Amino acid sequence: MPDLYEGTVGLLRPHADLSELHFAGVDFTDAELSGASLSECLLEGITAAELRMLNARIVESRIEGLNTPSAALTGAVLREVELKNSRIGAIDLADADLRTVAVEHCKLDWVNLRSVVLTDVLFRDCTFGELDLTGAEGTRMAFENCRAETVTVRGARLKDADLRGLDFARLDGPEGLRGAALDERQLMAMTETFAQYFEVRVMG
């Protein structure tokens, strides 16, 4: 990060071009950042009743300590972005493009990654309520020490995706696991899911 200028609420508007700014403890509730561009920015301790950044572009930036029940980033572009130590109820990233993104130490109740392109994306020490990867295209995506209640991979296209660090209670759309790396424990846990999908009987 270069030397940053103080960011204020007055700068938060649609299609804003924000560069080299530090937003600390700012309430984004009334901000409409759809179509905005953030480059080399640091957001710390941000709160919002709803964070709206539809079709936004976030590049070489870090978001830490974000707390919001809802984050709308449909169609957003994230390049070299870190999201850390955050609590988000629902985050909608449908149709977004994520490249070189790290999500660490976050609690995310519902994550919509439908039809998202993920390249070089890492999730570390995260918990998910529902992780929806329907129709997503993931290349070099990995999970480390993560847990999800439900994972949906229906229609996903995965390449060099490492899911060994993702524990989940329920899986939907097992055909979407093609191209993913799993460990033996995960395969054993999914025996019933695979049996139902292939309509086979497991007999002792």
Side-chain angles (χ1 to χ4, degrees):
M1 287 283 179
D3 292 332
L4 303 177
Y5 302 97
E6 180 182 359
T8 61
V9 173
L11 298 172
L12 306 177
R13 59 186 184 276
H15 305 287
D17 189 358
L18 308 174
S19 180
E20 299 183 5
L21 294 171
H22 181 198
F23 294 92
V26 176
D27 188 346
F28 277 46
T29 294
D30 297 323
E32 172 58 71
L33 284 166
S34 294
S37 177
L38 283 73
S39 176
E40 296 183 296
C41 289
L42 172 60
L43 283 64
E44 289 186 298
I46 300 302
T47 59
E50 180 185 15
L51 181 64
R52 290 185 57 80
M53 301 184 72
L54 306 176
N55 300 307
R57 182 178 177 85
I58 307 174
V59 178
E60 296 180 0
S61 296
R62 185 166 79 243
I63 303 170
E64 188 161 0
L66 170 63
N67 191 339
T68 179
S70 177
L73 288 95
T74 304
V77 173
L78 279 66
R79 296 279 194 277
E80 298 185 44
V81 171
E82 295 179 343
L83 174 63
K84 295 185 174 183
N85 304 313
S86 295
R87 173 69 171 85
I88 304 174
I91 180 168
D92 189 351
L93 284 155
D95 299 312
D97 189 341
L98 281 60
R99 297 179 187 270
T100 317
V101 172
V103 181
E104 303 183 67
H105 306 289
C106 291
K107 181 174 175 57
L108 311 165
D109 292 338
W110 178 69
V111 184
N112 183 8
L113 293 171
R114 286 177 171 245
S115 302
V116 171
V117 175
L118 306 104
T119 307
D120 297 315
V121 175
L122 170 66
F123 296 93
R124 176 183 289 132
D125 297 321
C126 292
T127 59
F128 309 93
E130 180 177 354
L131 179 62
D132 191 347
L133 286 156
T134 300
E137 182 179 336
T139 304
R140 296 185 301 278
M141 177 178 63
F143 294 84
E144 296 180 3
N145 193 33
C146 293
R147 169 73 182 174
E149 289 299 319
T150 301
V151 177
T152 301
V153 289
R154 192 175 300 278
R157 300 176 301 281
L158 305 179
K159 181 180 180 181
D160 297 327
D162 190 348
L163 305 187
R164 289 175 296 175
L166 175 63
D167 289 331
F168 46 86
R170 180 176 178 271
L171 176 72
D172 184 19
E175 75 282 357
L177 291 175
R178 185 187 301 272
L182 301 169
D183 61 26
E184 183 177 355
R185 174 183 50 82
Q186 289 171 312
L187 288 175
M188 293 299 294
M190 289 189 293
T191 300
E192 183 176 349
T193 298
F194 287 142
Q196 290 176 350
Y197 178 74
F198 291 108
E199 297 183 355
V200 300
R201 291 178 297 166
V202 180
M203 305 178 68

